[in-house]
Amino acid sequence: MNVNQLMITPILESYGIHKDSIVEPLNSGLINRTWKVTDGDKQFILQQINNHVFKKPYEVAANIRMIDEYLKKHSPSYLFVSPIPNENNEDIFFERDRGYFRLFPFIKGSHTIDIVTTPDLAYEAAYQFGKFTQLLSRFDVERLNITIPDFHNLTLRYRQFETSLLAGNVDRIRESEALVAEIKKRTSILDEFEMIKKSKEVRLRVTHHDTKISNVLFDNAGKGMCVIDLDTIMPGYFISDVGDMMRTYLSPANEEVSDFSRIDVREDFFRGIVQGYISAMEHELTGEEQRLILYSGLFLIYMQAIRFLTDYFNKDIYYGAKYEKHNLIRAGNQIALLKKIEDKKELLQEIIRSEQC
Ligand code: GN1
Ligand code: MG
């Protein structure tokens, strides 16, 4: 029995799962910890909620339950993966020493991927995230709990960045002058966000807020089946979801890469995202939202650069770091990606136009 299993056995028992089940860690994501559990011919996904990030795990569970009930009623054939209740009929297992856990069914014939290797995969994922928001377009978004306050509030992220410049690690700030300047130079992205918050044409929607490719289940033919990792589902703007797809699908080199010359924006993958999202959202997007499709990418990538750099100044308290300059490199990587999008702006806008008619 390994360390994982020792910690996890009482949790499995609370779900009626055999204690000698096979427990394998699935290591993707910076925030929650995830394991695959195999009990004979039954398979499950067990996840520990990071309650430093998600401070109210029961509110996260309540959101998922509300959405599950709505979708079961209004879109019964839609695949939505919700937690399995434990023997006390609770969505969450909690013990002081162990923390918060929940168990999901493992969807037969599904797999996840970590890298977007074809435009079709970008299309499929974008379609799934769009479909999810579209099916919930009549769900009263105000009912949802805010699982991470101000999560994608760029105004606040920028303020936190400014605070870190005053109170953060002096040496780290000094060596990051060029990157700080790149961020300060682009406050027009923040201004546009202020407009969006005031605009009646940009709707608050049920937004996933973490649309990286590993949060989509695919079948063996490479077709998207459904979206997973539902903890950051909150009221939000569509720019969060489309923007994070652009941030994570367009470049062949991801946010961890330190050789920035490998960062690129692949136009056919861009087309895949736009096509997939627009076709799933059908007539949902307002004219103003359509105008903001390209802005989505600028917004999200800019915000992620700010979050990484702020964390670097704050000594990596949020994201952690595997080496000294890890979050500095991540921030620089995101600025390099942002520049690539800026360079290809006209071309990308043309792709959007061609998909709109
Ligand atoms: C975090 O947990 P993970 O890796 O899916 C973060 C995202 C960032 C991402 C950057 C709750 O996501 O917002 O975009 O890292 N999630 C949270 O890798 O902060
Ligand atoms: Mg996540």
Side-chain angles (χ1 to χ4, degrees):
M1 201 181 274
N2 61 31
V3 149
N4 277 326
Q5 240 147 332
L6 268 178
M7 178 173 94
I8 284 168
T9 299
I11 304 160
L12 296 183
E13 281 173 349
S14 90
Y15 285 99
I17 295 178
H18 201 262
K19 68 174 183 339
D20 289 331
S21 298
I22 301 165
V23 178
E24 303 159 86
L26 297 177
N27 284 325
S28 93
L30 301 177
I31 305 297
N32 291 330
R33 294 171 73 194
T34 310
W35 296 267
K36 186 172 178 183
V37 178
T38 306
D39 179 5
D41 59 355
K42 288 190 268 150
Q43 294 186 310
F44 305 92
I45 296 292
L46 181 71
Q47 199 169 48
Q48 181 177 33
I49 307 181
N50 179 333
N51 62 307
H52 298 288
V53 172
F54 298 98
K55 296 197 163 44
K56 296 176 177 166
Y58 290 99
E59 293 198 355
V60 172
N63 279 354
I64 297 176
R65 194 172 268 221
M66 262 187 266
I67 289 176
D68 188 36
E69 282 166 6
Y70 182 92
L71 289 170
K72 284 222 163 60
K73 185 161 166 217
H74 297 276
S75 309
S77 63
Y78 179 73
L79 178 59
F80 184 75
V81 191
S82 53
I84 301 170
N86 64 15
E87 289 181 336
N88 300 325
N89 200 27
E90 293 159 340
D91 292 341
I92 289 184
F93 170 95
F94 172 69
E95 242 181 41
R96 270 252 309 276
D97 303 336
R98 291 190 165 77
Y100 297 85
F101 288 82
R102 57 231 152 136
L103 190 76
F104 294 94
F106 178 82
I107 304 297
K108 278 211 168 59
S110 75
H111 66 275
T112 55
I113 58 174
D114 286 320
I115 304 170
V116 191
T117 46
T118 67
D120 282 348
L121 291 172
Y123 175 96
E124 288 295 324
Y127 183 85
Q128 287 302 322
F129 285 113
K131 195 72 203 162
F132 175 71
T133 295
Q134 189 264 328
L135 290 175
L136 290 159
S137 58
R138 266 156 212 84
F139 175 92
D140 177 9
V141 74
E142 304 290 338
R143 286 171 59 202
L144 291 177
N145 299 304
I146 310 290
T147 56
I148 304 179
D150 293 310
F151 186 41
H152 281 190
N153 181 354
L154 181 58
T155 320
L156 176 93
R157 297 299 183 188
Y158 196 86
R159 220 179 292 139
Q160 288 172 332
F161 164 67
E162 289 180 313
T163 306
S164 77
L165 279 174
L166 297 173
N169 183 275
V170 178
D171 295 333
R172 287 186 170 199
I173 294 168
R174 200 176 306 129
E175 70 182 334
S176 312
E177 227 169 72
L179 220 41
V180 170
E182 295 287 355
I183 286 172
K184 288 190 169 168
K185 200 158 87 183
R186 290 178 172 78
T187 47
S188 61
I189 299 176
L190 182 57
D191 299 338
E192 178 90 54
F193 182 68
E194 298 300 331
M195 304 291 287
I196 289 173
K197 286 199 286 189
K198 289 188 205 113
S199 168
K200 290 196 172 54
E201 296 296 305
V202 186
R203 274 191 57 189
L204 268 183
R205 300 177 178 281
V206 180
T207 305
H208 186 285
H209 287 107
D210 190 8
T211 55
K212 59 183 185 205
I213 200 75
S214 57
N215 285 338
V216 177
L217 293 186
F218 288 93
D219 69 14
N220 293 331
K223 293 279 169 214
M225 299 172 81
C226 63
V227 302
I228 54 169
D229 198 356
L230 310 163
D231 302 336
T232 49
I233 290 173
M234 283 178 270
Y237 303 117
F238 89 99
I239 56 171
S240 285
D241 283 1
V242 173
D244 212 28
M245 288 192 257
M246 291 185 190
R247 187 180 82 79
T248 55
Y249 304 175
L250 294 181
S251 173
N254 71 17
E255 69 191 22
E256 296 295 322
V257 167
S258 57
D259 175 2
F260 300 161
S261 70
R262 288 175 50 204
I263 297 171
D264 197 8
V265 165
R266 298 174 292 188
E267 286 121 46
D268 42 352
F269 287 60
F270 183 86
R271 185 183 293 279
I273 296 173
V274 173
Q275 239 174 24
Y277 198 78
I278 288 184
S279 63
M281 285 290 273
E282 293 169 357
H283 307 296
E284 262 304 315
L285 292 179
T286 66
E288 178 63 0
E289 285 172 326
Q290 304 254 357
R291 190 186 68 77
L292 291 168
I293 293 176
L294 185 58
Y295 172 78
S296 304
L298 303 176
F299 160 75
L300 212 297
I301 296 164
Y302 182 61
M303 183 163 68
Q304 192 62 56
I306 289 176
R307 290 177 67 192
F308 282 143
L309 194 58
T310 304
D311 201 41
Y312 183 64
F313 296 159
N314 292 339
K315 286 275 191 169
D316 317 309
I317 44 169
Y318 189 82
Y319 285 114
K322 293 209 172 76
Y323 57 95
E324 170 66 20
K325 293 190 188 330
H326 199 162
N327 281 310
L328 177 66
I329 295 289
R330 285 165 164 162
N333 170 305
Q334 297 293 287
I335 291 293
L337 178 60
L338 186 58
K339 283 183 179 160
K340 278 280 172 196
I341 296 209
E342 289 168 347
D343 290 347
K344 295 194 176 179
K345 219 167 173 170
E346 263 83 66
L347 192 64
L348 300 177
Q349 202 58 65
E350 195 42 52
I351 293 176
I352 296 171
R353 250 193 303 277
S354 71
E355 293 303 329
Q356 279 166 332
C357 37

